[in-house]
Amino acid sequence: MTEATCHVHTPYGDVIGHRDGTVVAWKGIPYAASTGGEHRFKAPRPVEPWSEPKDCVKFGPVAPQGLDNPVPMDPDTPMSEDCLSVNVWAPEPDGTPRPVMVWIHGGAYSLGSSAQTVYDGRHLAELGDLVIVTVNYRIGAFGFLDLSSFSTEQTEFDANVGLRDMIAALRWVQESIGAFGGDASNVTLFGESSGGASVTTLMTSPATEGLFHRAIVQSAPATSVYGQDRAAQVAARFLEIVDVTPDRIDELKTIDMHRLVAASDTLCYDVPARVPGTLGLAPVVDGEIVPRYPVAAFQKGFAHRIPLIIGTNHDEASIFRLMKSPLMPVTSDTVSEMFRAIANDHSDLPAFRVAEIMSAYPDRSKTAGALAMSRDAGFKMPSLWIADAHSRHSPVWMYRFDHATPMLRAARIGAGHATEIPYVFGNFGTLNRDPTFWLGGRKAAMAVSARVMKRWVAFARHGVPATLDGAKHWPKYAEPTRATLVIDGQDTVVDDPDGDLRVAWGDRVLGFS
C-alpha cells in the first residue's frame, strides 16, 4: 500500500481504493455479473472473481436510462448493462468493525445512479467513523418491467429484477464488507423516493431477513407497488412501444440497448399521464420477492422487526410542478382524475369516503390544495400508515423536513422532494449552476445538515437517533401522540402534525393496493 492507496482483499478479488479526505474510497466494485443479452430481465448472477487487483478509482457504468432527464450525470461515466456495482467510503481498515450504511438512490425507479455527486459518501463516513456503501441497480424497464406473464419454455423472465439486484448487493455487503472495516452485523439500509420505497418493500421481503438491521426511509412512495394483472398490462404496452409481438418475445434479448431505453422512457411517462398518481415501472407483488403489498404487510405485522426512521418533506410535490413532470399529479384536474380512478378501481370503496378525503382540502381547486393532496396521497399518508403499524412492535422515529433556503422559498419549491438529500450527505452545490444559496442561507443550512447527519449516524451506530448537545430530543413515534421531529432552522417536536388530515384519510391503504 502507498500513502494514497489502500489494497483490500475481498472474496472475489483484490480492490485498490484511493485516499479521499481522511477516508478511502473504492468506486465501481462489481457485485454481480453483466445483465446484457441472454441475461436481460433475469435475476442477477454472481460476479466472476478476478485475479489481478482492480483499481477502483472511477465509478462503474450508469444503468441504462435516457439522458434527457433532470438528474445530473457525469458525461464521462459510460452507460452499460454491465452496471451492477457498489461504491465504498471508509476509514482505512484497522481491525475495528464499524457500522455500515447502504444507500439506495431514488429516481421513480427509472432514473439516477450511485455516481451522482450528491450521494458521495465521504462526509458521512468521516463524520460518523463508519462505512458508506452506495448501490447501482437496474432501473426502468431493465429493472422494473415484469415480463413474466410472457415467459415461454424457451424464454423465461424474472419479476422485480431491480429489487433482486439490491438484495444481491446486500448479500455482497454480508460477504465482503468486513474487508473494508465494516460490521456486517450492523447494517443500516437507507434510501430516498423510490429508493426509500425500495427499503420499505425490502423490509417486507423474506429474502432480506438478516441482511440489514435498521432502516431509514426518506420520502417513500411506498404504495406504488402493483399487482400482476396490472404488471401484465404494462408489459403488453411496452411490447407495443418496442414493436415486438409476444410470439417474438425472445428478440428482447438481442434488441439494441438504446432502443429499449427509448421504449422504457416512453412507458415511464405514458402511464402516469394516462392514470395520474401511478408509476409506469415499479415493484410488483410476485409472491416471492414481494409476497404482499408492502404497506398492507406492515399493517399485518409481516415487516422485519427492526428500528426505523421514516419521514417526508413539507412540500414534496412542488418540484414536480416546477418540472411539469407527469410523475405526480399537481393540478386540480389531474388530482381529481387520480381520485376518480381510485374510486373506479375499488368498487368496495364508498363514494362518501373519497368525498370525505377531498373535503379535507378546502382549497383543492387551487394549486396549493392540489399539491397538498398529491403530496399526502403519494408520500405523507403511506409513511404514516407504515409508522403507525411498525411502531406497534418496533422502535420508530418520524420526521418532517421543513427547512428551505430563501431562494427555494422564493421559487415556491420550499422543502420540496429530494431537497433534504444534500443535508443527509453534507453535499451542497452538486447541481450545475446550483441556485440553492443565491439568496443566502448557507450558514443556517450547514447547521441543519450537521444535526441531520449526526442523528442519522447515531441511529446507524446505536439504533437510536441520540439526543445531540443543545439539540431537541427526538422521542419515539407511537400512537396516539405520534411525536414527530420537525426539522428546520430550529428543530421542534410536534405531536401528530396535520392530524386532521390523517383522520380524514383513515388507516386504509386507499386505492393503491
Side-chain angles (χ1 to χ4, degrees), residues 85-430:
S85 64
V86 294
N87 316 296
V88 178
W89 287 264
E92 187 174 318
D94 59 5
T96 302
R98 292 175 167 87
V100 181
M101 297 184 74
V102 179
W103 174 256
I104 307 295
H105 72 77
Y109 298 108
S110 295
L111 308 169
S113 163
S114 66
Q116 291 171 240
T117 308
V118 72
Y119 305 140
D120 187 291
R122 170 188 162 184
H123 297 305
L124 261 183
E126 288 181 329
L127 175 72
D129 188 36
L130 42 67
V131 178
I132 303 296
V133 180
T134 62
V135 178
N136 246 22
Y137 58 94
R138 281 173 284 181
I139 55 179
F142 297 85
F144 291 95
L145 179 70
D146 181 3
L147 289 163
S148 60
S149 59
F150 291 98
S151 290
T152 66
E153 290 185 3
Q154 294 75 31
T155 305
E156 291 189 5
F157 301 102
D158 294 319
N160 293 312
V161 297
L163 293 178
R164 293 174 190 266
D165 293 345
M166 298 173 200
I167 295 170
L170 288 168
R171 289 176 177 152
W172 179 91
V173 167
Q174 289 298 307
E175 296 169 350
S176 304
I177 206 64
F180 300 86
D183 182 356
S185 67
N186 184 2
V187 175
T188 297
L189 186 64
F190 69 135
E192 182 270 345
S193 193
S194 59
S198 296
V199 175
T200 54
T201 299
L202 293 176
M203 285 180 70
T204 68
S205 176
T208 63
E209 183 71 47
L211 295 183
F212 57 98
H213 315 95
R214 328 191 198 288
I216 302 175
V217 176
Q218 302 169 205
S219 301
T223 47
S224 293
V225 178
Y226 303 108
Q228 290 179 308
D229 289 345
R230 192 266 195 182
Q233 295 171 11
V234 171
R237 174 65 180 138
F238 179 81
L239 294 183
E240 289 178 3
I241 296 170
V242 82
D243 194 23
V244 170
T245 55
D247 60 304
R248 295 162 40 221
I249 196 74
D250 59 320
E251 291 181 19
L252 291 180
K253 297 181 177 180
T254 57
I255 288 175
D256 178 71
M257 177 187 80
H258 296 283
R259 182 174 160 194
L260 295 181
V261 166
S264 176
D265 279 1
T266 298
L267 188 66
C268 175
Y269 294 106
D270 180 58
V271 171
R274 293 186 181 196
V275 186
T278 65
L279 293 178
L281 296 159
V284 173
V285 179
D286 61 2
E288 180 190 357
I289 299 298
V290 186
R292 304 171 182 86
Y293 291 100
V295 176
F298 273 94
Q299 293 183 326
K300 294 174 182 176
F302 290 121
H304 302 325
R305 302 197 169 193
I306 60 176
L308 170 67
I309 290 176
I310 187 168
T312 59
N313 293 358
H314 187 275
D315 307 295
E316 294 281 6
S318 62
I319 197 74
F320 298 93
R321 175 188 58 83
L322 179 72
M323 296 189 301
K324 297 181 172 59
S325 170
L327 293 176
M328 282 194 76
V330 294
T331 67
S332 176
D333 288 344
T334 55
V335 168
S336 296
E337 188 176 342
M338 173 181 70
F339 275 89
R340 282 195 296 272
I342 290 171
N344 291 336
D345 288 347
H346 293 261
S347 58
D348 62 333
L349 181 65
F352 74 85
R353 284 292 299 116
V354 176
E356 284 178 347
I357 295 170
M358 297 188 74
S359 66
Y361 300 85
D363 59 348
R364 61 185 179 275
S365 63
K366 301 176 182 178
T367 298
L371 291 176
M373 292 180 74
S374 187
R375 171 201 65 200
D376 294 351
F379 301 103
K380 181 188 285 286
M381 289 314 306
S383 297
L384 287 173
W385 288 327
I386 287 173
D388 279 355
H390 201 62
S391 68
R392 292 165 193 156
H393 54 69
S394 298
V396 174
W397 289 267
M398 169 69 79
Y399 74 87
R400 192 182 75 198
F401 187 84
D402 284 18
H403 185 71
T405 65
M407 183 63 195
L408 292 183
R409 289 197 299 269
R412 294 191 297 168
I413 294 172
H417 190 63
T419 58
E420 90 289 357
I421 296 175
Y423 295 81
V424 170
F425 282 91
N427 297 325
F428 292 94
T430 62

Side-chain angles (χ1 to χ4, degrees), residues 31-84:
Y31 67 85
S34 176
T35 63
E38 289 292 319
H39 307 290
R40 280 178 179 164
F41 312 110
K42 298 281 288 182
R45 300 170 298 125
V47 66
E48 289 290 332
W50 53 90
S51 56
E52 295 296 321
K54 188 178 293 290
D55 189 5
C56 296
V57 68
K58 293 182 179 180
F59 290 110
V62 170
Q65 61 193 280
L67 294 179
D68 184 20
N69 66 62
V71 176
M73 296 284 192
D74 181 350
D76 294 330
T77 302
M79 181 185 299
S80 169
E81 290 181 82
D82 190 4
C83 61
L84 301 186

